[in-house]
Short mmCIF file of all heavy atoms in Angstrom, two decimals:
data_model
loop_
_atom_site.label_atom_id
_atom_site.label_comp_id
_atom_site.label_asym_id
_atom_site.label_seq_id
_atom_site.Cartn_x
_atom_site.Cartn_y
_atom_site.Cartn_z
N GLU A 1 10.42 23.10 29.78
CA GLU A 1 9.77 24.37 30.02
C GLU A 1 8.89 24.70 28.81
O GLU A 1 9.29 24.58 27.67
CB GLU A 1 10.85 25.42 30.27
CG GLU A 1 10.35 26.79 30.21
CD GLU A 1 11.43 27.80 30.57
OE1 GLU A 1 12.21 27.54 31.49
OE2 GLU A 1 11.46 28.82 29.90
N MET A 2 7.68 25.16 29.08
CA MET A 2 6.71 25.44 28.02
C MET A 2 7.15 26.60 27.13
O MET A 2 6.93 26.57 25.92
CB MET A 2 5.34 25.78 28.62
CG MET A 2 4.46 24.61 28.91
SD MET A 2 4.12 23.62 27.46
CE MET A 2 4.93 22.12 27.93
N ALA A 3 7.78 27.61 27.70
CA ALA A 3 8.22 28.74 26.88
C ALA A 3 9.20 28.27 25.81
O ALA A 3 9.13 28.70 24.65
CB ALA A 3 8.85 29.82 27.75
N GLN A 4 10.10 27.37 26.18
CA GLN A 4 11.07 26.85 25.21
C GLN A 4 10.37 25.98 24.17
O GLN A 4 10.70 26.03 22.98
CB GLN A 4 12.16 26.04 25.93
CG GLN A 4 13.32 25.70 25.02
CD GLN A 4 14.06 26.93 24.53
OE1 GLN A 4 14.38 27.83 25.29
NE2 GLN A 4 14.32 27.00 23.25
N ALA A 5 9.38 25.21 24.59
CA ALA A 5 8.62 24.39 23.64
C ALA A 5 7.92 25.27 22.62
O ALA A 5 7.92 24.97 21.42
CB ALA A 5 7.61 23.53 24.39
N VAL A 6 7.33 26.37 23.07
CA VAL A 6 6.66 27.29 22.16
C VAL A 6 7.66 27.86 21.15
O VAL A 6 7.37 27.93 19.95
CB VAL A 6 5.94 28.42 22.93
CG1 VAL A 6 5.49 29.54 22.00
CG2 VAL A 6 4.75 27.86 23.69
N ILE A 7 8.85 28.22 21.61
CA ILE A 7 9.87 28.76 20.72
C ILE A 7 10.23 27.73 19.64
O ILE A 7 10.28 28.05 18.45
CB ILE A 7 11.12 29.19 21.51
CG1 ILE A 7 10.80 30.43 22.34
CG2 ILE A 7 12.30 29.45 20.58
CD1 ILE A 7 11.85 30.80 23.36
N TYR A 8 10.50 26.50 20.07
CA TYR A 8 10.87 25.45 19.10
C TYR A 8 9.74 25.17 18.12
O TYR A 8 9.97 24.98 16.93
CB TYR A 8 11.26 24.16 19.82
CG TYR A 8 12.57 24.23 20.54
CD1 TYR A 8 12.74 23.59 21.76
CD2 TYR A 8 13.67 24.91 20.02
CE1 TYR A 8 13.95 23.63 22.44
CE2 TYR A 8 14.88 24.97 20.69
CZ TYR A 8 15.01 24.31 21.90
OH TYR A 8 16.21 24.36 22.56
N LEU A 9 8.52 25.12 18.61
CA LEU A 9 7.39 24.83 17.73
C LEU A 9 7.10 25.98 16.78
O LEU A 9 6.70 25.76 15.64
CB LEU A 9 6.16 24.44 18.55
CG LEU A 9 6.29 23.07 19.21
CD1 LEU A 9 5.26 22.90 20.31
CD2 LEU A 9 6.16 21.98 18.16
N ARG A 10 7.32 27.21 17.21
CA ARG A 10 7.17 28.34 16.30
C ARG A 10 8.21 28.26 15.18
O ARG A 10 7.91 28.57 14.03
CB ARG A 10 7.29 29.66 17.06
CG ARG A 10 6.05 29.93 17.92
CD ARG A 10 6.15 31.20 18.68
NE ARG A 10 6.15 32.31 17.73
CZ ARG A 10 6.30 33.58 18.09
NH1 ARG A 10 6.44 33.89 19.36
NH2 ARG A 10 6.28 34.53 17.19
N GLU A 11 9.41 27.83 15.53
CA GLU A 11 10.44 27.62 14.50
C GLU A 11 10.01 26.50 13.55
O GLU A 11 10.21 26.61 12.33
CB GLU A 11 11.78 27.27 15.16
CG GLU A 11 12.43 28.44 15.87
CD GLU A 11 13.71 28.05 16.59
OE1 GLU A 11 14.25 26.95 16.36
OE2 GLU A 11 14.18 28.86 17.40
N ALA A 12 9.44 25.45 14.11
CA ALA A 12 9.00 24.32 13.28
C ALA A 12 7.94 24.74 12.27
O ALA A 12 8.02 24.38 11.09
CB ALA A 12 8.47 23.19 14.16
N VAL A 13 6.95 25.52 12.70
CA VAL A 13 5.90 25.93 11.76
C VAL A 13 6.42 26.97 10.77
O VAL A 13 5.90 27.07 9.66
CB VAL A 13 4.60 26.40 12.46
CG1 VAL A 13 4.01 25.28 13.29
CG2 VAL A 13 4.83 27.65 13.29
N ALA A 14 7.44 27.72 11.15
CA ALA A 14 8.05 28.65 10.20
C ALA A 14 8.77 27.88 9.09
O ALA A 14 8.73 28.27 7.92
CB ALA A 14 9.02 29.59 10.91
N LEU A 15 9.40 26.77 9.47
CA LEU A 15 10.12 25.95 8.49
C LEU A 15 9.19 25.06 7.68
O LEU A 15 9.48 24.74 6.53
CB LEU A 15 11.15 25.08 9.21
CG LEU A 15 12.33 25.82 9.84
CD1 LEU A 15 13.16 24.88 10.71
CD2 LEU A 15 13.19 26.47 8.76
N ALA A 16 8.10 24.64 8.29
CA ALA A 16 7.16 23.73 7.62
C ALA A 16 5.73 24.23 7.85
O ALA A 16 4.98 23.64 8.64
CB ALA A 16 7.33 22.31 8.14
N PRO A 17 5.34 25.31 7.19
CA PRO A 17 4.03 25.93 7.46
C PRO A 17 2.83 25.07 7.08
O PRO A 17 1.72 25.38 7.50
CB PRO A 17 4.07 27.22 6.64
CG PRO A 17 5.11 27.00 5.61
CD PRO A 17 6.11 26.05 6.20
N ASP A 18 3.04 23.98 6.36
CA ASP A 18 1.94 23.10 5.99
C ASP A 18 1.89 21.83 6.84
O ASP A 18 1.19 20.88 6.51
CB ASP A 18 2.03 22.72 4.50
CG ASP A 18 1.80 23.93 3.60
OD1 ASP A 18 1.09 24.86 4.03
OD2 ASP A 18 2.33 23.93 2.48
N ASN A 19 2.59 21.84 7.96
CA ASN A 19 2.64 20.68 8.84
C ASN A 19 1.56 20.80 9.92
O ASN A 19 1.72 21.54 10.90
CB ASN A 19 4.03 20.56 9.47
CG ASN A 19 4.21 19.31 10.28
OD1 ASN A 19 3.34 18.91 11.04
ND2 ASN A 19 5.35 18.68 10.11
N ALA A 20 0.48 20.09 9.73
CA ALA A 20 -0.66 20.17 10.65
C ALA A 20 -0.28 19.72 12.06
O ALA A 20 -0.73 20.30 13.05
CB ALA A 20 -1.82 19.34 10.13
N ALA A 21 0.55 18.69 12.16
CA ALA A 21 0.95 18.19 13.48
C ALA A 21 1.74 19.23 14.26
O ALA A 21 1.55 19.39 15.47
CB ALA A 21 1.76 16.90 13.33
N ALA A 22 2.61 19.96 13.57
CA ALA A 22 3.39 21.00 14.25
C ALA A 22 2.48 22.13 14.73
O ALA A 22 2.64 22.62 15.85
CB ALA A 22 4.47 21.54 13.31
N TRP A 23 1.52 22.52 13.90
CA TRP A 23 0.57 23.55 14.32
C TRP A 23 -0.27 23.08 15.51
O TRP A 23 -0.53 23.84 16.45
CB TRP A 23 -0.34 23.96 13.17
CG TRP A 23 0.32 24.87 12.18
CD1 TRP A 23 0.78 24.55 10.95
CD2 TRP A 23 0.59 26.27 12.36
NE1 TRP A 23 1.32 25.66 10.35
CE2 TRP A 23 1.22 26.73 11.19
CE3 TRP A 23 0.35 27.17 13.40
CZ2 TRP A 23 1.61 28.06 11.02
CZ3 TRP A 23 0.75 28.50 13.23
CH2 TRP A 23 1.37 28.92 12.06
N GLY A 24 -0.68 21.82 15.48
CA GLY A 24 -1.45 21.27 16.60
C GLY A 24 -0.64 21.21 17.88
O GLY A 24 -1.14 21.54 18.97
N ALA A 25 0.62 20.81 17.75
CA ALA A 25 1.49 20.78 18.93
C ALA A 25 1.72 22.18 19.47
O ALA A 25 1.77 22.39 20.69
CB ALA A 25 2.82 20.11 18.58
N LEU A 26 1.86 23.15 18.57
CA LEU A 26 2.02 24.54 19.00
C LEU A 26 0.78 25.02 19.75
O LEU A 26 0.88 25.67 20.79
CB LEU A 26 2.31 25.44 17.80
CG LEU A 26 2.48 26.93 18.09
CD1 LEU A 26 3.61 27.18 19.08
CD2 LEU A 26 2.73 27.69 16.79
N ALA A 27 -0.38 24.67 19.25
CA ALA A 27 -1.63 25.04 19.93
C ALA A 27 -1.66 24.47 21.35
O ALA A 27 -2.01 25.17 22.30
CB ALA A 27 -2.83 24.55 19.14
N LEU A 28 -1.26 23.21 21.49
CA LEU A 28 -1.24 22.60 22.83
C LEU A 28 -0.18 23.24 23.73
O LEU A 28 -0.42 23.44 24.92
CB LEU A 28 -0.97 21.10 22.72
CG LEU A 28 -2.16 20.24 22.36
CD1 LEU A 28 -1.74 18.78 22.22
CD2 LEU A 28 -3.28 20.37 23.39
N ALA A 29 0.96 23.57 23.17
CA ALA A 29 2.01 24.20 23.97
C ALA A 29 1.55 25.58 24.47
O ALA A 29 1.77 25.92 25.63
CB ALA A 29 3.29 24.33 23.16
N TYR A 30 0.91 26.33 23.58
CA TYR A 30 0.36 27.62 24.02
C TYR A 30 -0.66 27.39 25.13
O TYR A 30 -0.68 28.10 26.14
CB TYR A 30 -0.32 28.35 22.87
CG TYR A 30 0.57 29.16 21.98
CD1 TYR A 30 0.52 29.02 20.60
CD2 TYR A 30 1.45 30.11 22.50
CE1 TYR A 30 1.32 29.79 19.77
CE2 TYR A 30 2.25 30.88 21.67
CZ TYR A 30 2.18 30.72 20.31
OH TYR A 30 2.97 31.48 19.49
N ARG A 31 -1.53 26.41 24.96
CA ARG A 31 -2.57 26.12 25.95
C ARG A 31 -1.94 25.78 27.30
O ARG A 31 -2.33 26.29 28.34
CB ARG A 31 -3.46 24.98 25.45
CG ARG A 31 -4.33 24.29 26.46
CD ARG A 31 -5.24 25.22 27.23
NE ARG A 31 -5.91 24.54 28.30
CZ ARG A 31 -5.50 24.47 29.56
NH1 ARG A 31 -4.37 25.00 29.92
NH2 ARG A 31 -6.22 23.87 30.48
N LYS A 32 -0.93 24.92 27.28
CA LYS A 32 -0.28 24.52 28.53
C LYS A 32 0.47 25.68 29.17
O LYS A 32 0.58 25.75 30.39
CB LYS A 32 0.67 23.35 28.28
CG LYS A 32 -0.06 22.06 27.97
CD LYS A 32 0.90 20.93 27.69
CE LYS A 32 0.14 19.66 27.32
NZ LYS A 32 1.05 18.55 27.01
N SER A 33 0.97 26.60 28.35
CA SER A 33 1.72 27.73 28.90
C SER A 33 0.82 28.73 29.62
O SER A 33 1.32 29.57 30.37
CB SER A 33 2.52 28.43 27.79
OG SER A 33 1.67 29.16 26.94
N LEU A 34 -0.48 28.65 29.41
CA LEU A 34 -1.39 29.57 30.10
C LEU A 34 -1.27 29.50 31.62
O LEU A 34 -1.44 30.50 32.30
CB LEU A 34 -2.85 29.28 29.70
CG LEU A 34 -3.29 29.84 28.36
CD1 LEU A 34 -4.68 29.32 28.01
CD2 LEU A 34 -3.27 31.36 28.37
N ALA A 35 -0.94 28.32 32.14
CA ALA A 35 -0.80 28.16 33.59
C ALA A 35 0.35 29.00 34.15
O ALA A 35 0.35 29.32 35.34
CB ALA A 35 -0.59 26.69 33.93
N TYR A 36 1.30 29.35 33.30
CA TYR A 36 2.48 30.09 33.74
C TYR A 36 2.50 31.52 33.19
O TYR A 36 3.50 32.22 33.31
CB TYR A 36 3.75 29.35 33.28
CG TYR A 36 3.72 27.90 33.65
CD1 TYR A 36 3.43 26.93 32.71
CD2 TYR A 36 3.93 27.50 34.96
CE1 TYR A 36 3.38 25.58 33.05
CE2 TYR A 36 3.88 26.15 35.32
CZ TYR A 36 3.61 25.21 34.36
OH TYR A 36 3.55 23.90 34.70
N THR A 37 1.41 31.93 32.59
CA THR A 37 1.33 33.25 31.96
C THR A 37 0.62 34.22 32.89
O THR A 37 -0.43 33.90 33.44
CB THR A 37 0.54 33.14 30.64
OG1 THR A 37 1.20 32.19 29.79
CG2 THR A 37 0.45 34.47 29.93
N PRO A 38 1.19 35.42 33.08
CA PRO A 38 0.51 36.42 33.90
C PRO A 38 -0.89 36.72 33.34
O PRO A 38 -1.09 36.70 32.11
CB PRO A 38 1.41 37.65 33.79
CG PRO A 38 2.75 37.13 33.37
CD PRO A 38 2.46 35.91 32.55
N PRO A 39 -1.84 36.97 34.21
CA PRO A 39 -3.22 37.19 33.78
C PRO A 39 -3.38 38.24 32.68
O PRO A 39 -4.18 38.06 31.76
CB PRO A 39 -3.94 37.62 35.06
CG PRO A 39 -3.13 37.04 36.16
CD PRO A 39 -1.71 37.05 35.66
N GLU A 40 -2.60 39.29 32.73
CA GLU A 40 -2.75 40.36 31.74
C GLU A 40 -2.26 39.94 30.35
O GLU A 40 -2.55 40.61 29.36
CB GLU A 40 -2.04 41.64 32.19
CG GLU A 40 -0.54 41.52 32.35
CD GLU A 40 -0.09 40.99 33.72
OE1 GLU A 40 -0.93 40.62 34.55
OE2 GLU A 40 1.13 40.96 33.93
N GLN A 41 -1.54 38.83 30.26
CA GLN A 41 -1.05 38.34 28.97
C GLN A 41 -1.81 37.12 28.46
O GLN A 41 -1.58 36.65 27.34
CB GLN A 41 0.44 38.00 29.07
CG GLN A 41 1.31 39.20 29.37
CD GLN A 41 2.75 38.80 29.62
OE1 GLN A 41 3.11 37.64 29.59
NE2 GLN A 41 3.58 39.80 29.87
N GLN A 42 -2.71 36.59 29.26
CA GLN A 42 -3.38 35.35 28.90
C GLN A 42 -4.27 35.45 27.67
O GLN A 42 -4.36 34.51 26.89
CB GLN A 42 -4.17 34.81 30.10
CG GLN A 42 -3.27 34.24 31.16
CD GLN A 42 -4.02 33.63 32.31
OE1 GLN A 42 -5.25 33.61 32.34
NE2 GLN A 42 -3.28 33.12 33.28
N ALA A 43 -4.91 36.58 27.46
CA ALA A 43 -5.78 36.72 26.28
C ALA A 43 -4.97 36.57 25.00
O ALA A 43 -5.42 35.92 24.04
CB ALA A 43 -6.50 38.06 26.31
N GLY A 44 -3.78 37.14 24.96
CA GLY A 44 -2.93 37.02 23.78
C GLY A 44 -2.46 35.61 23.54
O GLY A 44 -2.43 35.13 22.40
N VAL A 45 -2.10 34.92 24.62
CA VAL A 45 -1.65 33.53 24.50
C VAL A 45 -2.82 32.64 24.06
O VAL A 45 -2.67 31.78 23.19
CB VAL A 45 -1.04 33.02 25.82
CG1 VAL A 45 -0.72 31.54 25.76
CG2 VAL A 45 0.22 33.82 26.15
N ARG A 46 -3.98 32.89 24.62
CA ARG A 46 -5.17 32.13 24.23
C ARG A 46 -5.48 32.34 22.73
O ARG A 46 -5.79 31.40 22.01
CB ARG A 46 -6.36 32.53 25.09
CG ARG A 46 -7.62 31.72 24.80
CD ARG A 46 -8.74 32.01 25.80
NE ARG A 46 -8.52 31.21 27.00
CZ ARG A 46 -8.13 31.68 28.18
NH1 ARG A 46 -7.93 32.97 28.36
NH2 ARG A 46 -7.96 30.89 29.21
N ALA A 47 -5.37 33.58 22.28
CA ALA A 47 -5.61 33.87 20.86
C ALA A 47 -4.58 33.17 19.98
O ALA A 47 -4.92 32.65 18.90
CB ALA A 47 -5.58 35.38 20.62
N SER A 48 -3.34 33.12 20.42
CA SER A 48 -2.30 32.42 19.66
C SER A 48 -2.60 30.93 19.61
O SER A 48 -2.41 30.29 18.56
CB SER A 48 -0.93 32.65 20.29
OG SER A 48 -0.55 34.01 20.17
N ALA A 49 -3.06 30.36 20.72
CA ALA A 49 -3.41 28.94 20.75
C ALA A 49 -4.55 28.64 19.79
O ALA A 49 -4.50 27.66 19.02
CB ALA A 49 -3.78 28.52 22.17
N LEU A 50 -5.57 29.47 19.82
CA LEU A 50 -6.70 29.27 18.91
C LEU A 50 -6.30 29.42 17.45
O LEU A 50 -6.75 28.66 16.59
CB LEU A 50 -7.84 30.23 19.25
CG LEU A 50 -8.60 29.89 20.53
CD1 LEU A 50 -9.55 31.04 20.90
CD2 LEU A 50 -9.36 28.59 20.37
N GLY A 51 -5.44 30.38 17.17
CA GLY A 51 -4.96 30.57 15.80
C GLY A 51 -4.17 29.37 15.31
O GLY A 51 -4.35 28.92 14.16
N ALA A 52 -3.30 28.83 16.15
CA ALA A 52 -2.52 27.65 15.78
C ALA A 52 -3.44 26.44 15.59
O ALA A 52 -3.26 25.66 14.65
CB ALA A 52 -1.46 27.37 16.84
N ALA A 53 -4.43 26.31 16.46
CA ALA A 53 -5.37 25.19 16.32
C ALA A 53 -6.17 25.31 15.03
O ALA A 53 -6.35 24.31 14.31
CB ALA A 53 -6.32 25.14 17.52
N ARG A 54 -6.62 26.51 14.71
CA ARG A 54 -7.36 26.72 13.46
C ARG A 54 -6.52 26.37 12.24
O ARG A 54 -6.99 25.72 11.32
CB ARG A 54 -7.84 28.17 13.36
CG ARG A 54 -9.16 28.39 14.03
CD ARG A 54 -9.73 29.78 13.67
NE ARG A 54 -10.14 30.40 14.90
CZ ARG A 54 -9.48 31.34 15.56
NH1 ARG A 54 -8.38 31.84 15.10
NH2 ARG A 54 -9.94 31.82 16.69
N ARG A 55 -5.26 26.78 12.26
CA ARG A 55 -4.38 26.49 11.12
C ARG A 55 -4.17 24.98 11.00
O ARG A 55 -4.21 24.43 9.89
CB ARG A 55 -3.04 27.20 11.30
CG ARG A 55 -2.05 26.92 10.19
CD ARG A 55 -2.52 27.50 8.87
NE ARG A 55 -1.54 27.22 7.83
CZ ARG A 55 -1.84 26.81 6.62
NH1 ARG A 55 -3.10 26.69 6.24
NH2 ARG A 55 -0.90 26.56 5.74
N SER A 56 -3.99 24.31 12.11
CA SER A 56 -3.82 22.86 12.08
C SER A 56 -5.05 22.19 11.49
O SER A 56 -4.95 21.29 10.64
CB SER A 56 -3.56 22.33 13.49
OG SER A 56 -3.40 20.94 13.47
N LEU A 57 -6.23 22.65 11.89
CA LEU A 57 -7.47 22.05 11.39
C LEU A 57 -7.73 22.39 9.92
O LEU A 57 -8.36 21.61 9.22
CB LEU A 57 -8.65 22.49 12.26
CG LEU A 57 -8.65 21.89 13.67
CD1 LEU A 57 -9.69 22.57 14.54
CD2 LEU A 57 -8.86 20.39 13.62
N GLU A 58 -7.24 23.54 9.47
CA GLU A 58 -7.33 23.85 8.04
C GLU A 58 -6.53 22.84 7.22
O GLU A 58 -6.96 22.42 6.15
CB GLU A 58 -6.78 25.25 7.76
CG GLU A 58 -7.65 26.39 8.21
CD GLU A 58 -6.95 27.73 8.06
OE1 GLU A 58 -5.80 27.79 7.55
OE2 GLU A 58 -7.54 28.74 8.49
N LEU A 59 -5.36 22.48 7.75
CA LEU A 59 -4.48 21.55 7.04
C LEU A 59 -4.93 20.11 7.19
O LEU A 59 -4.76 19.30 6.28
CB LEU A 59 -3.05 21.70 7.57
CG LEU A 59 -2.41 23.06 7.30
CD1 LEU A 59 -1.14 23.22 8.13
CD2 LEU A 59 -2.11 23.22 5.82
N ASP A 60 -5.48 19.78 8.36
CA ASP A 60 -5.93 18.42 8.65
C ASP A 60 -7.16 18.50 9.54
O ASP A 60 -7.03 18.66 10.76
CB ASP A 60 -4.82 17.61 9.33
CG ASP A 60 -5.26 16.21 9.73
OD1 ASP A 60 -6.39 15.80 9.36
OD2 ASP A 60 -4.48 15.52 10.41
N PRO A 61 -8.35 18.39 8.98
CA PRO A 61 -9.58 18.51 9.77
C PRO A 61 -9.69 17.48 10.90
O PRO A 61 -10.49 17.68 11.82
CB PRO A 61 -10.68 18.31 8.74
CG PRO A 61 -10.06 18.66 7.44
CD PRO A 61 -8.61 18.27 7.55
N ASP A 62 -8.89 16.43 10.86
CA ASP A 62 -8.93 15.41 11.91
C ASP A 62 -7.77 15.53 12.89
O ASP A 62 -7.48 14.58 13.62
CB ASP A 62 -8.91 14.02 11.26
CG ASP A 62 -10.13 13.77 10.40
OD1 ASP A 62 -11.23 14.21 10.81
OD2 ASP A 62 -9.99 13.18 9.33
N SER A 63 -7.11 16.66 12.93
CA SER A 63 -5.96 16.86 13.80
C SER A 63 -6.34 16.70 15.27
O SER A 63 -7.08 17.51 15.82
CB SER A 63 -5.36 18.26 13.59
OG SER A 63 -4.36 18.52 14.54
N PRO A 64 -5.83 15.65 15.92
CA PRO A 64 -6.21 15.42 17.33
C PRO A 64 -5.66 16.48 18.28
O PRO A 64 -6.32 16.87 19.23
CB PRO A 64 -5.65 14.04 17.64
CG PRO A 64 -4.54 13.84 16.67
CD PRO A 64 -4.94 14.61 15.43
N HIS A 65 -4.44 16.96 18.02
CA HIS A 65 -3.85 17.97 18.92
C HIS A 65 -4.63 19.27 18.85
O HIS A 65 -4.89 19.90 19.88
CB HIS A 65 -2.39 18.22 18.57
CG HIS A 65 -1.49 17.04 18.76
ND1 HIS A 65 -1.53 16.24 19.88
CD2 HIS A 65 -0.54 16.51 17.97
CE1 HIS A 65 -0.65 15.28 19.77
NE2 HIS A 65 -0.03 15.41 18.61
N ALA A 66 -5.01 19.67 17.64
CA ALA A 66 -5.76 20.91 17.49
C ALA A 66 -7.13 20.80 18.14
O ALA A 66 -7.57 21.72 18.83
CB ALA A 66 -5.90 21.26 16.01
N ALA A 67 -7.79 19.68 17.93
CA ALA A 67 -9.12 19.49 18.54
C ALA A 67 -9.02 19.50 20.06
O ALA A 67 -9.86 20.10 20.74
CB ALA A 67 -9.72 18.19 18.05
N THR A 68 -7.97 18.89 20.59
CA THR A 68 -7.77 18.87 22.05
C THR A 68 -7.53 20.28 22.57
O THR A 68 -8.12 20.69 23.58
CB THR A 68 -6.61 17.95 22.42
OG1 THR A 68 -6.90 16.62 21.98
CG2 THR A 68 -6.37 17.94 23.92
N ALA A 69 -6.65 21.01 21.90
CA ALA A 69 -6.37 22.38 22.33
C ALA A 69 -7.62 23.24 22.33
O ALA A 69 -7.89 23.97 23.29
CB ALA A 69 -5.29 23.01 21.43
N GLN A 70 -8.42 23.13 21.27
CA GLN A 70 -9.66 23.91 21.21
C GLN A 70 -10.61 23.52 22.34
O GLN A 70 -11.23 24.38 22.95
CB GLN A 70 -10.34 23.73 19.87
CG GLN A 70 -9.74 24.55 18.77
CD GLN A 70 -10.57 24.51 17.50
OE1 GLN A 70 -11.16 23.51 17.17
NE2 GLN A 70 -10.62 25.64 16.82
N ALA A 71 -10.71 22.24 22.62
CA ALA A 71 -11.61 21.79 23.68
C ALA A 71 -11.16 22.30 25.04
O ALA A 71 -12.01 22.62 25.89
CB ALA A 71 -11.69 20.28 23.68
N LEU A 72 -9.87 22.39 25.25
CA LEU A 72 -9.35 22.84 26.55
C LEU A 72 -9.36 24.35 26.72
O LEU A 72 -9.24 24.85 27.83
CB LEU A 72 -7.93 22.30 26.75
CG LEU A 72 -7.80 20.79 26.88
CD1 LEU A 72 -6.34 20.38 26.90
CD2 LEU A 72 -8.51 20.32 28.14
N LEU A 73 -9.51 25.06 25.62
CA LEU A 73 -9.54 26.52 25.72
C LEU A 73 -10.97 26.96 25.97
O LEU A 73 -11.29 27.94 26.47
CB LEU A 73 -9.00 27.16 24.44
CG LEU A 73 -7.49 27.00 24.27
CD1 LEU A 73 -7.08 27.35 22.85
CD2 LEU A 73 -6.74 27.89 25.25
#
């Protein structure tokens, strides 16, 4: 379930805030969760995905997960 993945990945970035891969995975999880998010909440989830992708790219400009998430948003 995507909601559970987001929870685990948020914990991961809290424990390792300099881990670009975790931020990129979080961005993708947020992106994938949009399909199950009510329309009135989608803007917030999209903003969270973009924020996670930006953080991943700050840490690793070549982050494939972050680049993918940004392209899909």
Side-chain angles (χ1 to χ4, degrees):
E1 166 175 320
M2 273 302 115
Q4 191 64 47
V6 168
I7 290 169
Y8 289 142
L9 289 163
R10 287 180 66 184
E11 289 176 13
V13 299
L15 292 171
D18 293 333
N19 186 317
W23 282 105
L26 179 59
L28 280 177
Y30 276 130
R31 163 56 187 93
K32 290 179 183 178
S33 73
L34 280 172
Y36 310 103
T37 302
E40 63 274 5
Q41 296 174 359
Q42 287 184 0
V45 173
R46 183 172 278 109
S48 294
L50 287 170
R54 273 191 228 102
R55 179 66 180 137
S56 180
L57 290 169
E58 287 172 3
L59 295 167
D60 177 7
D62 297 321
S63 173
H65 296 315
T68 300
Q70 281 189 325
L72 294 173
L73 289 166

